[in-house]
Amino acid sequence: MTTFKNIRLERDQALAVVSIDRPKAMNALNYDTLQELKVCFEQISGDHTLKVILLTGSGEKAFVAGADISYMRRMNAHEATEFAHLGHSVMMMIESAPQPVIAAVNGFALGGGCELTLACDIRIASTNAKFGQPEVNLGVIPGFGGSQRLPRLVGKGVASELLYTGDIIDSTEALRIGLVNRVVPQDKLMSTCKNIAEKICSKGPRAIQICKQTINNGCQMDIARASQYEAIQFGQCFASEDQTEGMTAFLEKRPPLFTGN
C-alpha cells in the first residue's frame, strides 16, 4: 500500500476508513491531497475484499473546510481549469467506486468539502456539522461538481438558493432539505457510520455493487430507459452464486453465506 502524507487509510476487515488528515488546514483540499485521494481510491476500489468505504476528516473542527484558497489564489484560468478537472476526476472515482461510500461529516463541509460529500452514497452528519457552497463569496463557482450534484440531490430551487447566496447551513437544515441521511451526536458519528457499514457488509456483495451501478446510471436516464436498465441489472443478479445462496437460505430459514460471486 502507498504511504500518504495528507490522508490516512485504515482497514477494519471489510471496511476501509479514509481520513483526510490536514487538521492545521482544516483538511482543505490542495493538489497533493486530491492526488492522494485519487491514488487511494484507485487502490481500494479495486480490492474486492473491501465491501464498504468510510470517508471522513481528521479532528473535531472540519470534515473538509473547502479547497485550499491559499493554493488557488494566484491561479490563472488554465491552471484553475486543470485543478477543477483533477477535483472532478476524484469525485467521479468516489462516486463510481464499486463499494458504497459513506461520508462521516464532522464540523465544516464547505466548498470542495461539501462537493466531496455529494460524491458519496450516504451522508451521516454530526450535530456540529455545517454545509455550504460559499464559492460566490470568493468570486467563483463550485469547481468539483457542486453545481451539478447538489441540484440532483436537493432539487434545483433549493440548490440555486444555496449556490447563489453562499449561505452555510447547519445539520438540522441539511437533514430537512435531504442533503444528509441522518444527524447524530458528535460522539456517536463514527459508531453510527460503522453500524451502517456492518449492515451493508452482511448483504450480498454482488447485489450491492449492481444496486449502486443501477442507482447512479439510472439517475441519468428518463424513467422509461431507467426501468429497462433496472430489469437488465436485475437479471444480471441471477447469474451470480449469491442469488442462489440468498434465495436458498431464505427458503431454508437460515442466514445466507454470501461470497460475492
Side-chain angles (χ1 to χ4, degrees):
M1 281 288 183
T2 304
T3 301
F4 301 109
K5 293 182 179 180
N6 299 294
I7 65 175
R8 287 186 288 109
L9 172 59
E10 301 166 299
R11 179 164 177 160
D12 183 5
Q13 297 182 359
L15 172 66
V17 180
V18 179
S19 303
I20 298 167
D21 192 22
R22 299 185 69 216
K24 291 183 179 179
M26 298 186 76
N27 301 326
L29 299 175
N30 60 5
Y31 179 87
D32 290 341
T33 305
L34 287 170
Q35 285 285 16
E36 289 189 9
L37 279 171
K38 188 174 183 179
V39 171
C40 179
F41 271 85
E42 283 174 348
Q43 292 179 355
I44 60 180
S45 64
D47 186 342
H48 301 299
T49 65
L50 292 172
K51 297 180 180 178
V52 180
I53 300 169
L54 179 56
L55 181 61
T56 192
S58 298
E60 298 182 353
K61 293 183 178 180
F63 171 76
V64 169
D68 194 325
I69 297 171
S70 63
Y71 173 75
M72 294 189 296
R73 184 168 65 95
R74 298 190 182 278
M75 286 181 177
N76 59 35
H78 174 73
E79 292 168 338
T81 301
E82 291 301 306
F83 186 55
H85 282 316
L86 173 60
H88 274 281
S89 69
V90 173
M91 304 307 161
M92 288 298 297
M93 187 166 291
I94 293 170
E95 189 172 65
S96 62
Q99 304 93 339
V101 182
I102 302 172
V105 186
N106 184 30
F108 291 108
L110 306 178
C114 187
E115 289 168 303
L116 197 59
T117 73
L118 294 172
C120 298
D121 299 280
I122 297 169
R123 288 156 292 278
I124 307 300
S126 65
T127 49
N128 72 323
K130 304 283 187 181
F131 297 84
Q133 298 287 168
E135 287 86 351
V136 291
N137 294 324
L138 306 174
V140 298
I141 69 168
F144 298 166
S147 67
Q148 303 307 306
R149 288 189 178 91
L150 189 60
R152 286 166 167 80
L153 183 64
V154 303
K156 182 181 177 182
V158 172
S160 295
E161 181 177 351
L162 289 172
L163 292 164
Y164 298 163
T165 63
D167 284 348
I168 296 171
I169 60 174
D170 61 18
S171 57
T172 301
E173 179 66 3
L175 181 63
R176 187 190 71 82
I177 66 175
L179 180 54
V180 300
N181 294 66
R182 65 178 85 170
V183 177
V184 298
Q186 190 173 7
D187 61 351
K188 301 291 185 184
L189 178 63
M190 293 304 290
S191 61
T192 299
C193 291
K194 288 184 177 180
N195 286 339
I196 296 171
E198 287 174 5
K199 184 177 289 187
I200 295 171
C201 286
S202 71
K203 312 305 178 184
R206 183 66 183 139
I208 295 294
Q209 291 178 13
I210 293 175
C211 193
K212 178 169 178 173
Q213 291 173 358
T214 307
I215 292 170
N216 286 348
N217 293 333
C219 283
Q220 310 305 317
M221 304 176 187
D222 61 70
I223 189 64
R225 287 196 302 134
S227 295
Q228 290 296 316
Y229 176 63
E230 183 193 68
I232 294 169
Q233 295 287 83
F234 174 73
Q236 290 298 311
C237 296
F238 285 75
S240 71
E241 294 176 9
D242 277 358
Q243 173 268 327
T244 302
E245 168 61 15
M247 292 189 175
T248 301
F250 177 82
L251 294 173
E252 294 178 355
K253 296 181 171 58
R254 60 173 176 81
L257 298 174
F258 294 120
T259 63
N261 297 315

